Amino acid sequence: MTERASNYEQLKTSISQAYPGLSKQLQRIARFALEKPHDLALGTVAAIAEAAQVQPSSMIRFANALGFSGFSEMQQIFRGHLVERSTSYRERIEQMRRGNGRPAVAGGTEVLRQFVDEAITELTHLDENVAAADMKAAVKLLAAAPMIHVLGQRRAFPIASYLAYALRQLDLRTHLLDGVGGMLGEFVRGIAPGDVLIAISTRNYSPDVVDAAAACHQRGVAVIAITDSALSPLKPSARVSFELGDDSAQQFRSLVGQVCLSQAMVVATGHHLADRASPRKRRTNGS
């Protein structure tokens, strides 16, 4: 049995470490807990079990596997984290208690409104879950890298293309690993220690991206992962991992959070480069 965590960060780590040894049902709860911590904080055992598509008794077993005497004891840590992050969630709790949900929409401007609402929720999650230390670490890696390589496939390819374009606008040497001509493996083998790889993939994860990140990590290449969960196969290879949450339940999966994070990373890197250049300019002007 895992030693009981006393705060949310410890609990996230405990869940990630315990995950490989859990049963299929408990793994489903683990993914739900990491991807939708607010839902787990606010819901009843029955409601969470239904959302995670498991039996209610599995919720108790999951808590026990993490060292807690019961589900409520574990849920208190999720609730404590929610309160710490934003007092506005008290209003959301009240709305949830009143069952103030909006029915699904069929068409017209309601479709746009639904996507806007989902994007707002996604961006709120992004704001709450991207740590300042991770952004700072990623920016330092990008600004100092002799060469930046960017890899994303399928729905992540537009994000990779944007990052490659935008980082080049900062005069940073950047290579988009597009795999044209089946040469992805050869290009990945050419990435040198000291370079940086930005790897982008969410569930269902691209095997080529996961394998490339792992190969680079083994050679000492710094990997920055843009992914969805602490359970992502990219996380073990990443020096910095941005976990934006899993929207795989949506029929049309959003790129809003990934675009916003990518833009912020580029602009923050630009600020870092400008700050680094300022002392040199002052010395030159004063000489």
Side-chain angles (χ1 to χ4, degrees), residues 8-9 12 33-39 41-42 78-93 119-135 241-245 257 260-261:
Y8 180 69
E9 291 303 320
K12 281 177 60 179
L34 292 175
E35 294 160 2
K36 300 181 179 179
H38 299 153
D39 292 352
L42 301 177
F78 283 92
R79 287 180 173 172
H81 172 68
L82 185 151
V83 171
E84 288 172 2
R85 296 302 301 180
S86 175
T87 55
S88 68
Y89 275 104
R90 293 177 183 173
E91 297 176 4
R92 301 188 190 186
I93 292 171
I120 291 170
T121 300
E122 184 178 353
L123 292 174
T124 300
H125 179 85
L126 175 71
D127 181 48
E128 293 173 351
N129 286 276
V130 172
D134 288 337
M135 181 64 81
S241 179
F242 295 106
E243 297 140 22
L244 278 61
C260 186
L261 174 68

Side-chain angles (χ1 to χ4, degrees), residues 12 16 31 34-35 122 125-126 129-130 134 151-156 159-160 163 197-207 209-210 213 223-248 253-259 261-262 265:
K12 281 177 60 179
S16 299
R31 287 195 299 270
L34 292 175
E35 294 160 2
E122 184 178 353
H125 179 85
L126 175 71
N129 286 276
V130 172
D134 288 337
L151 175 60
Q153 296 186 338
R154 301 197 289 263
R155 65 187 292 269
I159 308 301
L163 279 168
L197 170 67
I198 303 176
I200 312 159
S201 191
T202 57
R203 203 165 22 137
N204 297 315
Y205 308 98
S206 166
V209 177
V210 174
V223 177
I224 299 172
I226 299 177
T227 189
D228 53 3
S229 166
L231 302 176
S232 166
L234 285 178
K235 187 175 175 64
S237 301
R239 192 170 301 181
V240 181
S241 179
F242 295 106
E243 297 140 22
L244 278 61
D246 178 27
D247 62 355
S248 59
R253 299 172 67 183
S254 173
L255 294 175
V256 169
Q258 294 181 39
V259 170
L261 174 68
S262 299
M265 197 184 311

Side-chain angles (χ1 to χ4, degrees), residues 10-90:
Q10 289 179 5
L11 184 52
K12 281 177 60 179
T13 300
S14 295
I15 293 172
S16 299
Q17 291 174 345
Y19 182 82
L22 298 176
S23 66
K24 294 294 185 184
Q25 281 225 340
L26 298 192
Q27 286 184 343
R28 200 171 293 168
I29 300 170
R31 287 195 299 270
F32 185 90
L34 292 175
E35 294 160 2
K36 300 181 179 179
H38 299 153
D39 292 352
L40 193 141
L42 301 177
T44 63
V45 169
I48 297 167
E50 182 178 0
Q53 299 181 326
V54 298
Q55 295 297 320
S57 59
S58 297
M59 304 299 298
I60 313 299
R61 292 199 303 274
F62 178 71
N64 293 159
L66 296 173
F68 295 94
S69 60
F71 175 77
S72 296
E73 187 179 24
M74 181 190 71
Q75 190 180 42
Q76 285 303 318
I77 292 186
F78 283 92
R79 287 180 173 172
H81 172 68
L82 185 151
V83 171
E84 288 172 2
R85 296 302 301 180
S86 175
T87 55
S88 68
Y89 275 104
R90 293 177 183 173

